[in-house]
């Protein structure tokens, strides 16, 4: 049995209603927690709300209610939303909980007693939006980079935490444990911060200014700075210092946060832990930001995306799948409904949904709806061996999951699905069904396909628990936990011949694209023909160009070539082809993997930045970038394009 697993989300501020960004982080935590639930019996998933501080006090004032009534309202919105998104957190912490407040007090006293907190008069530039002082170095044109406002100069006496004392320790720790902050770009960002001398952290706010907070145990005229209070939730929820959960889960703690709160989690928190005599977390997993139609989500722009609205229109599992499949964990992503609909139609309705209904329908048609007996002596073409492909898919999936590369994990499952679709096309069960002599082969084919669906159901369970349960039920099994344990998923030949299968069902109906208002650029007739058409050619001239479907298997940036990406594509040939494409301005390499593109396959090879490029990727291009042509539905690599 694998070691226990502990995952946390940030605790969200209660000054705004939950939106797509909060839902994404919390769904990531749910997915990873369900995944680890498949490999170990001991998982703990924590989320909650961050309820102290000036920001909250001002939000309550605006609504003319007490801070207590205000935090109770919004915290409930978060708490009640999660079950509706099928999120199964084990505990919901609030920083206004008495237990949490007691732990903050205890840790402050301990650090104070050992001399790591000192009192000092300080004059500095304070951003009320961020609730912190800024150094001149951190300001952009004299303004807070987040709020675009000039901070106010405040002079006051406060308590400071000696972070500088631990700076070298933290640098050494990160260098010795290079995967502690991941993906790597964020580790590098933290190390870059640490190259400058670290200021001590102001951890108090005078009660004359802010009353809504945890009193400092060594000075009742002050409350604790919200970040010092909030970060401690990760241990107070486990019953710090001696609770059983603390012993079990703290040594394996992993956090998920977005890049906006990298500094408190990458710098303040490990130093606080060190000062408190605790080991630091095992991993800090940092993701990027969801933007909406290319802009930052914000109330003032009016583009805040409500998770429940999307669930109601598109279905919960489709929504969860889209978030996990479309964002490369670590990079920013752009949310738009068109992309969501495309994903539902291609990956869910087409690839998975069709395969499922095709296989279950065949089991009904050829075997009266029972799992067929499989004769192990029937010869199989080893290149089509589904069990072997399942083993490969599971290995790739597990490796990707454990590094939080959710999109890659799903890609591995979809490669397996595409292999199963190919298996149906090649084995042609409808032909086997025509003669009695090929009945044993037909039994093997349908049995294998049902088994393949069982594996797929298990692997999609963390992301789409409801769909996984529906699939399992249609395979004649009870949709309870054992079918979603990794050992069970891996064991090929789990289905018992003779089990009755319920009739097939539609897992995901196809969805119409939402109607789009034509944009200015689409309207203008002069844009349509710009640049001008080239002179006419006859069909034979076009026929000399060999266009083929290719699947992108690998994509990498090319050092020193800002515009170029190196693609390794599967064109149905024995070996992958390398093609260099000038599309780096429009894509992060990772997001191209798995896409089907069109290649000019008979173009003379050329060397670009020392790389031999065998072909060209078709792309629509203008001054704003180059967008590759992809296929509306999947086709086998190498298919001609005419
Ligand atoms: N209260 C602090 C966290 C304290 S943790 C000890 C806080 N709260 S917050 O409500 O502002 O939540 C920030 C987090 O919400 C981000 O780190 C991320 O997890 C999530 N997101 C908010 N907007 C987001 C996007 N637009 N995109 C992706 N995630 C985002 O900071």
């Amino acid at each position: 049995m694998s070691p226990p697993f502990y995952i946390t989300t940030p605790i969200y501020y209660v000054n705004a209603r939950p939106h797509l960004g909060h839902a994404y982080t919390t769904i990531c935590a749910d997915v990873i927690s369900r995944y680890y639930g498949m490999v170990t019996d001991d998982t703990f998933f924590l989320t909650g709300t961050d309820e102290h501080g000036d920001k909250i006090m001002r939000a309550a004032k605006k609504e003319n209610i007490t801070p207590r009534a205000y935090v109770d309202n919004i915290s409930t919105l978060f708490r009640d939303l999660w079950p509706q998104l099928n999120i199964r957190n084990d505990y919901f912490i609030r920083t206004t909980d008495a237990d949490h407040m007691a732990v903050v007090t205890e840790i402050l006293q301990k650090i104070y007693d050992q001399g790591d907190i000192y009192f000092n008069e300080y004059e500095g530039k304070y951003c009320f939006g961020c609730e912190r002082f800024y150094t001149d170095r951190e300001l952009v044109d004299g303004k807070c980079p987040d709020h675009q406002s000039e901070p106010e100069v405040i002079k006051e006496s406060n308590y400071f935490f000696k972070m500088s004392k631990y700076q070298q320790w933290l640098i050494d720790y990160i260098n010795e444990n290079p995967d502690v902050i991941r993906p790597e770009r964020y580790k590098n960002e933290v190390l870059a911060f640490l190259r400058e001398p670290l200021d001590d952290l102001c951890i108090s706010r005078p009660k004359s200014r802010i009353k809504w907070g945890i009193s400092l145990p060594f000075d009742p005229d002050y409350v604790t700075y919200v970040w010092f209070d909030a970060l401690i939730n990760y241990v107070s929820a486990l019953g710090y210092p001696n609770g059983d959960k603390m012993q079990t889960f703290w040594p394996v703690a992993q956090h998920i946060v977005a890049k906006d709160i990298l500094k408190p989690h990458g710098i303040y928190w490990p130093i606080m832990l060190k000062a408190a005599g605790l080991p630091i977390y095992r991993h800090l997993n940092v993701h990027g930001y969801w933007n909406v139609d290319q802009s930052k989500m914000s109330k003032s722009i009016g583009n805040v995306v409500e998770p429940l609205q999307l669930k109601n229109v598109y279905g919960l599992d489709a929504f969860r799948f889209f978030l996990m499949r479309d964002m490369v964990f670590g990079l920013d992503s752009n949310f738009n409904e068109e992309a969501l609909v495309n994903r539902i139609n291609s990956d869910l309705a087409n690839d998975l949904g069709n395969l499922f209904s095709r296989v279950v329908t065949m089991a009904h048609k050829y075997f009266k709806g029972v799992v067929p007996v499989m004769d192990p002596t029937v010869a199989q073409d080893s290149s089509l061996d589904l069990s072997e492909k399942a083993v490969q898919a599971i290995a790739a999936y597990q490796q990707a999951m454990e590094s939080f590369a959710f999109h890659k994990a799903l890609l591995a499952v979809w490669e397996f699905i595409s292999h199963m679709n190919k298996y149906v096309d090649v084995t042609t069960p409808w032909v086997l069904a025509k003669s009695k002599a090929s009945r044993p082969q037909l039994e093997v084919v349908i049995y294998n396909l049902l088994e393949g669906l069982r594996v797929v159901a298990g692997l999609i369970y963390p992301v789409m628990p409801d769909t996984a349960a529906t699939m399992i039920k249609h395979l004649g099994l009870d949709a309870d936990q054992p079918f979603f344990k990794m050992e069970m998923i891996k064991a090929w030949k789990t289905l018992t011949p003779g089990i009755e299968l319920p009739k097939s069902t539609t897992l995901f109906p196809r969805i119409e694209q939402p109607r789009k208002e034509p944009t200015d650029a689409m309207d203008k007739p002069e844009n349509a023909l710009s640049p001008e058409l080239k002179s006419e050619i006859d069909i034979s001239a076009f026929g000399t160009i060999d266009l083929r479907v290719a699947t992108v298997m690998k994509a990498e940036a090319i050092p020193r070539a800002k515009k170029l990406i190196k693609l390794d594509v599967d064109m149905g040939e024995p070996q992958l082809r390398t093609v260099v494409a000038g599309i780096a301005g429009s894509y992060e390499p990772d997001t191209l993997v798995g896409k089907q593109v069109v290649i000019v396959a008979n173009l003379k090879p050329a060397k670009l930045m020392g790389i031999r490029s065998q072909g060209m990727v078709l792309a629509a291009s203008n001054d704003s970038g180059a967008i590759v042509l992809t296929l509306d539905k999947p086709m086998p690599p190498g298919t001609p394009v005419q």
Side-chain angles (χ1 to χ4, degrees), residues 556-566 580-585 589 608-611:
E556 297 169 87
I558 301 177
R560 287 175 293 110
K562 268 200 195 141
K563 289 196 174 152
L564 301 181
I565 293 185
K566 177 179 169 232
V580 175
I583 53 175
L608 291 164
M609 297 300 287
I611 301 168

Side-chain angles (χ1 to χ4, degrees), residues 364-432:
H364 275 272
K365 190 163 168 197
Y366 305 136
F367 297 102
K368 297 199 178 96
V370 298
V371 176
V373 179
M374 153 144 155
D375 178 350
T377 61
V378 175
Q380 296 193 46
D381 176 348
S382 65
S383 68
L384 293 175
D385 189 347
L386 279 192
S387 64
E388 185 56 41
K389 290 282 175 192
V391 170
Q392 289 165 9
I394 293 170
Y397 167 93
Q398 287 201 267
Q399 196 190 23
M401 274 290 189
E402 286 170 23
S403 49
F404 284 55
F406 303 114
H407 73 293
K408 273 197 188 152
L410 289 170
L411 200 66
V413 181
W414 259 253
E415 265 171 27
F416 180 56
I417 290 174
S418 132
H419 186 81
M420 285 175 68
N421 272 318
K422 217 186 289 170
Y423 180 87
V424 176
D425 295 342
V426 174
T427 54
T428 56
W430 49 94
V431 176
L432 298 176

Side-chain angles (χ1 to χ4, degrees), residues 10-13 19 21-22 24-25 50 227 230-231 233-234 256-261 265 287-291 297 327:
I11 47 171
Y12 304 111
Y13 286 132
H19 60 54
H22 308 117
Y24 172 73
T25 312
D50 187 355
W227 272 104
L231 288 160
N233 91 88
Y234 300 134
I256 305 183
V257 296
K259 63 183 188 180
D260 56 334
I261 49 176
H265 284 84
H287 65 74
Y289 245 51
W290 279 100
N291 296 321
M297 223 184 319
M327 181 174 257

Side-chain angles (χ1 to χ4, degrees), residues 89-204:
N89 48 300
D90 293 291
Y91 191 60
F92 188 95
I93 192 163
R94 300 180 58 181
T95 52
T96 49
D97 290 342
D99 305 2
H100 167 77
M101 291 172 64
V103 172
V104 173
T105 309
E106 191 177 335
I107 291 180
L108 276 167
Q109 188 68 54
K110 178 175 163 55
I111 297 180
Y112 181 74
D113 290 346
Q114 75 198 26
D116 281 343
I117 291 175
Y118 62 93
F119 192 62
N120 201 9
E121 181 163 282
Y122 184 76
E123 181 176 282
K125 295 182 179 165
Y126 190 80
C127 170
F128 281 89
C130 301
E131 300 189 30
R132 73 172 182 95
F133 287 99
Y134 270 91
T135 59
D136 285 335
R137 217 176 42 229
E138 290 174 310
L139 297 172
V140 178
D141 299 330
K143 292 183 176 166
C144 156
D146 279 351
H147 293 89
Q148 314 297 334
S149 57
E150 271 185 33
E152 282 178 42
V153 176
I154 293 189
K155 188 175 182 176
E156 62 190 24
S157 296
N158 265 312
Y159 286 89
F160 289 82
F161 170 45
K162 284 187 189 165
M163 290 216 300
S164 48
K165 174 175 157 189
Y166 295 97
Q167 175 162 6
Q168 193 53 47
W169 163 80
L170 182 56
I171 296 171
D172 294 343
Y173 187 91
I174 296 174
N175 284 327
E176 281 155 25
N177 300 273
D179 65 350
V180 67
I181 299 174
R182 58 188 189 177
E184 200 184 359
R185 59 171 57 204
Y186 295 110
K187 175 197 82 172
N188 295 339
E189 214 172 287
V190 168
L191 284 175
F193 262 134
L194 290 169
R195 255 175 242 131
E196 304 288 338
L198 204 51
D199 291 321
D200 289 342
L201 183 67
C202 176
I203 54 134
S204 64

